[in-house]
Amino acid sequence: MLPNAWQRVQRLLVTCPSPVADAMALGLTLRSLHQALPAAVVVLLASPSRSQIVSLLPGVDQVLVHSAVDRFGSDAAQAQDLITTIKAAQFGGAIVFTGPAQSPYPLAYACYLAGIPLRLGQSLEFGGGVLSDWVKPGPDPCLDHNLYLLEAAGLAIAKASEQAPPRGS
């Protein structure tokens, strides 16, 4: 489903769900992402309070820390600073991971305004061109929400037993 353009992404911005517990569960998803896009440098966007925890997740090459991550849009100056920061890093793609009840659109919109050409996320609602690749959530709430996003978007997902060791191991 995903176009070949995703295979050419060299720098990939990834956002993680707000709760720290969800961020820890993101480890398997990031390993799968690394296997699906092995040439991409994965940069995880996180708030200062979660930056140390998410930097330990497998598959994360760099962490981009910004205070506007959790409340994008509530402060215009911080929102503009986040957009400027993202734009300066020159990402080729962004994947907006969310929890099942979260919207990808605030951070996807920041990525859109920062000029990131490929933006993937999942939502019940269609958001126009804010996401270049939009996936509806799966029917089974027991499935991992973020792994489902990668699989539904067409990225090859390995089972946990097939996963390669994380980067740096």
Side-chain angles (χ1 to χ4, degrees), residues 7 14 31 40 54 69-70 79 82 101 104 122 125 127 160-161:
Q7 297 297 326
V14 174
R31 279 185 169 178
V54 298
V69 172
D70 292 335
L82 176 60
Q122 66 181 317
E125 301 83 23
S161 61

Side-chain angles (χ1 to χ4, degrees), residues 44-126:
L44 190 62
L45 178 62
S47 66
S49 64
R50 289 193 321 259
S51 63
Q52 289 183 333
I53 292 171
V54 298
S55 68
L56 301 175
L57 293 174
V60 175
D61 296 309
Q62 298 171 8
V63 177
L64 178 62
V65 180
H66 201 284
S67 58
V69 172
D70 292 335
R71 39 194 168 78
F72 179 76
S74 63
D75 179 301
Q78 279 194 335
Q80 184 57 51
D81 185 57
L82 176 60
I83 293 165
T84 302
T85 300
I86 292 171
K87 186 173 187 167
Q90 300 180 338
F91 294 102
I95 298 178
V96 182
F97 290 118
T98 57
Q102 294 176 314
S103 171
Y105 293 112
L107 287 176
Y109 189 56
C111 294
Y112 170 82
L113 292 174
I116 298 177
L118 302 172
R119 300 165 308 279
L120 172 64
Q122 66 181 317
S123 175
L124 287 171
E125 301 83 23
F126 175 65

